[in-house]
Amino acid sequence: MDPTTHRPTLDDIHAAAARIAPHAQLTPVLRSRSLDALAGCELHFKCENLQRVGAFKFRGAVNAVFSLSDEEAARGVVTQSSGNHGAAVALACRLRGIPATVVVPHNAPRIKLAAIHAFGARIVPCEVNQAARDAATAQVLAETGGRLIHPFNDARVIAGQGTATLELLHHAPGLDTLIAPVSGGGLLSGTALAAHGIESGIRVLGAEPEGARDAHDSLAAGERITGRVADTVCDGLRAELGPLTFRILREHVEDILLAGEAEIIAAMRLVWDRLKLVIEPSAAVPLATILKNPERFRGRRVGVILSGGNVDLDALPALFARAG
Amino acid sequence: MDPTTHRPTLDDIHAAAARIAPHAQLTPVLRSRSLDALAGCELHFKCENLQRVGAFKFRGAVNAVFSLSDEEAARGVVTQSSGNHGAAVALACRLRGIPATVVVPHNAPRIKLAAIHAFGARIVPCEVNQAARDAATAQVLAETGGRLIHPFNDARVIAGQGTATLELLHHAPGLDTLIAPVSGGGLLSGTALAAHGIESGIRVLGAEPEGARDAHDSLAAGERITGRVADTVCDGLRAELGPLTFRILREHVEDILLAGEAEIIAAMRLVWDRLKLVIEPSAAVPLATILKNPERFRGRRVGVILSGGNVDLDALPALFARAG
């Protein structure tokens, strides 16, 4: 199968769950009475900030890296990432004992670069836009003969991300709504495919910053919009949908809700305060959209993917100041 | 039995576990490979920051409040607290439907006062020293005819706090060392009694800020030292041992380790960074002492009670600045 066009099945996601089980964390699902009261619905938070490397990205990376044949794996893995996927691929490759190269935009946060470096991967810096990322990635692939593990437009990665939803629905059966942040769409695709594989009636929503609303606009326009420059504090949500994730989201996602920067930071702070969890701004976008659109969630049983917790604590005062 | 002199048995702690089960959270136990590597031992963190009201205190408060006869409960409950115990008693009384009054030192943090107020308790402010707390408490007791639930020198409270250790040892059997912060000694007493009730060979240690080292000095002197004014950022650790907790700790605790303010804040930040958990400074003292005394923990399997997560996020920049 071609991983850039294959649409993962529920069987693929179950296989991914078995493949990653020796390496990944079974993350807890936490609740908060005060957040439920604030939102007017039941919120079940899947804590992927407590996943290894501090983000759901580890699931997809491990599934992809351990899906390679020994022959494929031997020449190493190449990827592009604004951070968490890069760290996840770096660690997955270290666990398999193969080399990793990560193409990283030069404005990626220090904390995420440090993680990639710590896991022993080679870092290749590039410009911020998608075309520059793709060009640098192609060059490294040509040099090394390695295998590409795209951060989201890859069936193995999508299946891996879907395992978080398998666990969530196992822990909290009967959820009627799931919501996850959307950037390139790997997490949201995996979430939707896992959910609808189990129960076709579950409503799946995406959450996106206003300043990076390409997924929202792409679904509204019925075609993939590319080439914009994202403007958001959510450093994990600056990518664009890929052809595969666009097709999956079109079929499986009811809507993509938007939130502004101050709303996102306020929601992040609420999670810190009420759930006592450190999450990064990207992970707060779903809660921000829930609080902004209470009529769409009232009385619902909602699963929320807290996608990651890699935030630079030195940058906190500046972040909090954005919440006004 | 007189709760101020009775030494809880393992049966008392099991009874407490059954009594609080309908109300308290079964909190997760989390680990971090990077913290294990840093400490040179296995660390199993019992996440009482994820307990209701954000602290282990809810366990003891619920056990005490639900131990009262209907007749006793009718006149309400009175307590004194620098914060978390007050909020815990306030919520426990609300759950039982009886009135609560909390005597609070005037320098208690805003976030903790707000919680007590939100749970519907009456707040009576007093001076910071223990004598002033006791006098104000006695006055409220005389006025209301209510029952005192002391924050630590109370067998029902100690038994409740011990339930966290029951859960921890059930989740992670074979731990050879337990460490908890010590202030009035309720948590550490409950920890020690539960641990030694299950396995007499478990080593139990306390952790205390240098600026509030009365428990350390009391055990060293063989008599309870009182009347000092604590000087520490750990607002949960400014109380002194009571007669009951002093007796229990003398018999069950091997040592009390000390950490300075900068070490405590650095440890707090490590937990935020690596475990992605919001903990308050008081909860970071055990990790600070572990990192300061690696030779005492090398190769051990250590249970660490993360006591609470109620920190004022607005105060973070000032807190972090103390870590230097």
Side-chain angles (χ1 to χ4, degrees):
Chain A
M1 67 110 184
D2 176 352
T4 67
T5 59
H6 174 69
R7 179 187 305 234
T9 64
L10 185 60
D11 282 348
D12 292 330
I13 302 173
H14 279 298
R19 197 174 287 118
I20 74 172
H23 309 291
Q25 205 66 38
L26 177 62
T27 54
V29 177
L30 297 181
R31 304 196 52 196
S32 157
R33 287 168 180 82
S34 70
L35 289 181
D36 282 4
L38 205 59
C41 61
E42 266 186 31
L43 299 171
H44 300 253
F45 293 96
K46 178 65 171 167
C47 297
E48 288 301 297
N49 62 323
L50 304 180
Q51 188 52 264
R52 287 182 80 173
V53 313
F56 74 92
K57 292 280 191 182
F58 185 67
R59 296 174 182 271
V62 168
N63 188 49
V65 166
F66 282 83
S67 293
L68 297 173
S69 69
D70 288 346
E71 192 183 10
E72 290 172 321
R75 308 192 77 164
V77 161
V78 181
T79 193
Q80 55 178 232
S81 167
S82 61
N84 284 332
H85 175 70
V89 166
L91 176 55
C93 287
R94 165 170 282 187
L95 291 170
R96 185 147 183 197
I98 61 175
T101 306
V102 185
V103 175
V104 179
H106 62 70
N107 66 345
R110 198 178 51 80
I111 181 179
K112 294 186 178 181
L113 286 177
I116 295 170
H117 185 75
F119 293 128
R122 177 164 74 108
I123 293 175
V124 175
C126 71
E127 291 302 308
V128 176
N129 66 80
Q130 193 61 41
R133 292 186 188 197
D134 291 340
T137 304
Q139 192 181 337
V140 176
L141 283 169
E143 285 166 16
T144 63
R147 308 299 291 194
L148 177 67
I149 296 183
H150 193 275
F152 47 86
N153 202 66
D154 183 305
R156 303 160 299 185
V157 170
I158 292 169
Q161 320 305 29
T163 61
T165 294
L166 287 190
E167 291 173 12
L168 173 56
L169 291 174
H170 180 77
H171 181 95
L175 295 183
D176 56 45
T177 304
L178 292 178
I179 185 164
V182 58
S183 176
L187 174 64
L188 188 55
S189 293
T191 301
L193 293 172
H196 291 162
I198 290 171
E199 166 56 56
S200 62
I202 295 175
R203 191 170 58 146
V204 178
L205 297 165
E208 196 172 34
E210 287 275 7
R213 56 185 284 165
D214 60 286
H216 173 278
D217 292 354
S218 294
L219 292 190
E223 60 177 15
R224 197 161 64 95
I225 294 168
T226 61
R228 294 185 184 168
V229 174
D231 178 20
T232 173
V233 70
C234 299
D235 54 74
L237 302 181
R238 293 177 186 146
E240 298 167 346
L241 296 182
L244 176 58
T245 54
F246 173 66
R247 280 198 290 126
I248 294 169
L249 298 191
R250 271 188 88 174
E251 280 187 26
H252 287 276
V253 168
E254 182 184 292
D255 202 356
I256 296 192
L257 306 179
L258 300 171
E261 299 291 288
E263 293 160 341
I264 292 166
I265 298 301
M268 180 183 95
R269 196 170 152 147
L270 265 177
V271 169
W272 290 42
D273 249 340
R274 308 296 172 86
L275 283 175
K276 310 301 180 192
L277 291 176
V278 173
I279 62 167
E280 57 188 271
S282 303
V285 184
L287 179 60
T289 66
I290 291 168
L291 296 175
K292 192 176 182 172
N293 301 280
E295 72 290 351
R296 300 189 67 160
F297 296 90
R298 188 128 38 226
R300 295 277 194 157
R301 301 189 64 209
V302 184
V304 181
I305 314 282
L306 291 180
S307 50
N310 292 321
V311 59
D312 187 343
L313 295 178
D314 285 327
L316 275 188
L319 273 184
F320 284 171
R322 294 178 84 124
Chain B
M1 68 112 183
D2 176 352
T4 66
T5 59
H6 174 69
R7 178 188 304 236
T9 64
L10 184 61
D11 282 349
D12 291 330
I13 301 172
H14 278 299
R19 197 174 286 118
I20 74 173
H23 309 291
Q25 205 67 38
L26 177 62
T27 54
V29 178
L30 296 181
R31 304 197 51 195
S32 157
R33 287 169 180 78
S34 71
L35 289 182
D36 282 4
L38 205 58
C41 59
E42 267 187 30
L43 299 171
H44 300 254
F45 294 95
K46 178 64 172 167
C47 297
E48 288 301 297
N49 61 323
L50 304 180
Q51 189 51 266
R52 287 182 80 175
V53 314
F56 75 91
K57 292 280 190 181
F58 185 66
R59 296 175 181 269
V62 168
N63 188 49
V65 165
F66 282 83
S67 293
L68 298 173
S69 70
D70 288 347
E71 193 184 7
E72 288 172 321
R75 307 191 78 162
V77 161
V78 181
T79 194
Q80 54 178 232
S81 168
S82 61
N84 284 332
H85 175 70
V89 165
L91 177 55
C93 287
R94 165 171 281 186
L95 291 169
R96 184 145 184 199
I98 61 175
T101 305
V102 184
V103 175
V104 179
H106 61 71
N107 66 345
R110 198 177 52 80
I111 182 179
K112 294 185 177 179
L113 286 176
I116 295 169
H117 185 73
F119 293 129
R122 178 164 73 106
I123 293 176
V124 175
C126 72
E127 291 302 308
V128 177
N129 66 79
Q130 193 62 42
R133 292 186 188 198
D134 290 341
T137 304
Q139 192 181 338
V140 177
L141 282 169
E143 284 166 16
T144 62
R147 307 298 293 197
L148 176 68
I149 296 183
H150 192 276
F152 48 83
N153 203 66
D154 182 306
R156 303 160 301 184
V157 170
I158 292 169
Q161 319 306 29
T163 61
T165 294
L166 287 189
E167 292 173 13
L168 173 56
L169 292 175
H170 180 76
H171 181 96
L175 296 183
D176 56 47
T177 304
L178 293 178
I179 185 165
V182 57
S183 175
L187 174 63
L188 188 55
S189 293
T191 301
L193 293 171
H196 290 163
I198 291 171
E199 167 55 58
S200 61
I202 296 175
R203 190 170 59 147
V204 178
L205 297 165
E208 197 172 34
E210 288 274 7
R213 56 185 285 166
D214 60 287
H216 173 277
D217 292 354
S218 294
L219 292 190
E223 61 177 11
R224 197 162 63 94
I225 294 168
T226 62
R228 294 185 185 167
V229 175
D231 178 21
T232 173
V233 70
C234 299
D235 54 75
L237 302 181
R238 293 176 187 148
E240 298 166 345
L241 296 182
L244 176 58
T245 54
F246 174 65
R247 277 198 293 126
I248 295 169
L249 298 191
R250 270 187 90 173
E251 279 187 26
H252 287 276
V253 169
E254 180 182 296
D255 202 355
I256 295 190
L257 305 179
L258 300 172
E261 299 291 288
E263 293 160 340
I264 293 166
I265 297 302
M268 180 183 95
R269 194 170 155 150
L270 265 178
V271 169
W272 290 45
D273 250 341
R274 307 295 172 86
L275 284 175
K276 309 302 181 190
L277 291 176
V278 173
I279 62 167
E280 56 188 273
S282 304
V285 185
L287 179 60
T289 66
I290 290 168
L291 296 175
K292 192 176 182 172
N293 299 280
E295 72 290 350
R296 299 189 65 160
F297 295 90
R298 187 127 39 225
R300 295 277 194 158
R301 302 190 63 210
V302 184
V304 181
I305 313 282
L306 291 179
S307 51
N310 293 319
V311 60
D312 187 343
L313 295 178
D314 286 327
L316 275 188
L319 274 184
F320 284 171
R322 294 178 82 125

